[in-house]
Amino acid sequence: MIKAYLNKNHIILKTSKGKVFQFAAGTAITDMLDDSPYAQFPKGKTKAAALLEQFYAAQDLSIPEQMALFAGIGFSVVIEESDGKAVPVITVKSAEELCALELITLMKSRKPLKRCEHCGEYFFPQGRSDAVYCDRIGADGFSCKKIGAHRQYRKNSRTNDVKAMYDKMTKHNRYLKNSGKISERDYDRWMASVSESYAAYKNGDISERTLMTRLSETLSPAGRSARRDISDYLL
Ligand SMILES: [Zn+2]
């Protein structure tokens, strides 16, 4: 038998042998690993896992259907004295009840259920509710959160490199235009083209290579450019 004490969204479990587990609701449930509180119930972990699966699937169910998930679960609560206060203590008799306790606590604290963008598994964010990666450790020894952070960092630094190139090329061509080395008309046309391309790149519509090709276009030197577009005659 395990006693459970609730403190906001944290659950404190005390086994009859005096072992204590303390965790945020939604963290023990995620993997039900061997060193988790679920290991205290060697039998019946399957039932808990089944309840968890149903809960994941229940996100699209109506409220009565969601309520039906917990229909068979009834906790017994006793009052204990702790530091001169009367505190409610829940008796947890099975892994399934522990799972239900975690889920109910999560529902109460309105923690959203998310699907990790790296491993695709469900998780309950413990910090920011807009978190997109879970804390599971993959075969490579890194957590999804760590891999995600690294990927984002690489993406950002890549984006910064492109931005630096864009700034450098626009500055360079503006200098050429201001010093009369290229025509204002060519510069304006190029500028309109690259700013549109840069927006398209940021939007993911064109590749980095396409943007770079457009950025590095050599503009014709002023004076020597006798080439006139057909549109010049139409204007
Ligand atoms: Zn993950």
Side-chain angles (χ1 to χ4, degrees):
M1 190 190 77
I2 290 184
K3 287 178 178 178
Y5 303 80
L6 300 184
N7 182 7
K8 291 185 184 138
N9 65 334
H10 277 73
I11 299 174
I12 299 140
L13 298 179
K14 281 185 189 159
T15 69
S16 47
K17 287 178 187 159
K19 202 166 177 183
V20 177
F21 297 93
Q22 184 166 350
F23 53 95
T27 52
I29 215 172
T30 317
D31 286 316
M32 295 189 193
L33 293 171
D34 288 346
D35 56 351
S36 85
Y38 286 87
Q40 301 302 307
F41 306 100
K43 277 186 237 161
K45 256 167 84 171
T46 342
K47 262 187 160 179
L51 176 65
L52 187 58
E53 280 308 313
Q54 283 171 23
F55 183 81
Y56 290 155
Q59 301 306 305
D60 299 324
L61 298 181
S62 67
I63 290 174
E65 283 170 318
Q66 291 189 40
M67 283 160 67
L69 286 182
F70 299 99
I73 311 277
F75 295 108
S76 60
V77 180
V78 292
I79 303 295
E80 270 187 10
E81 196 213 309
S82 171
D83 294 334
K85 279 189 211 158
V87 291
V89 185
I90 298 164
T91 308
V92 182
K93 297 181 292 297
S94 66
E96 191 185 16
E97 282 191 3
L98 179 54
C99 182
L101 185 64
E102 274 203 83
L103 292 174
I104 290 162
T105 311
L106 283 165
M107 287 163 82
K108 202 169 108 285
S109 61
R110 298 189 179 279
K111 288 277 178 191
L113 176 66
K114 296 275 193 98
R115 214 183 246 277
C116 173
E117 283 190 10
H118 181 64
C119 69
E121 298 284 338
Y122 285 107
F123 74 107
F124 300 93
Q126 291 308 309
R128 298 170 55 122
S129 59
D130 58 354
V132 293
Y133 298 106
C134 76
D135 286 314
R136 288 185 182 82
I137 312 285
D140 52 6
F142 295 106
S143 71
C144 291
K145 196 171 276 173
K146 184 130 195 159
I147 294 169
H150 187 63
R151 190 186 287 172
Q152 193 59 38
Y153 170 78
R154 271 179 40 197
K155 195 172 147 202
N156 286 348
S157 57
R158 195 62 230 143
T159 308
N160 289 342
D161 286 352
V162 174
K163 169 85 170 71
M165 181 68 175
Y166 177 82
D167 289 345
K168 191 180 139 188
M169 290 312 292
T170 48
K171 200 173 157 193
H172 174 68
N173 281 338
R174 194 166 40 229
Y175 160 77
L176 292 179
K177 178 199 76 169
N178 290 341
S179 54
K181 294 188 168 86
I182 58 171
S183 78
E184 196 154 326
R185 191 186 177 79
D186 269 4
Y187 172 79
D188 288 347
R189 180 194 54 76
W190 176 84
M191 196 59 223
S193 155
V194 295
S195 63
E196 197 185 301
S197 300
Y198 187 50
Y201 165 75
K202 282 197 287 187
N203 207 21
D205 296 336
I206 63 166
S207 70
E208 184 183 321
R209 181 192 286 258
T210 307
L211 174 65
M212 286 301 178
T213 309
R214 288 177 193 170
L215 275 176
S216 48
E217 181 192 345
T218 311
L219 302 180
S220 25
R224 271 201 281 143
S225 168
R227 183 175 60 83
R228 291 172 74 87
D229 291 327
I230 187 84
S231 58
D232 292 352
Y233 297 96
L234 295 172
L235 285 171

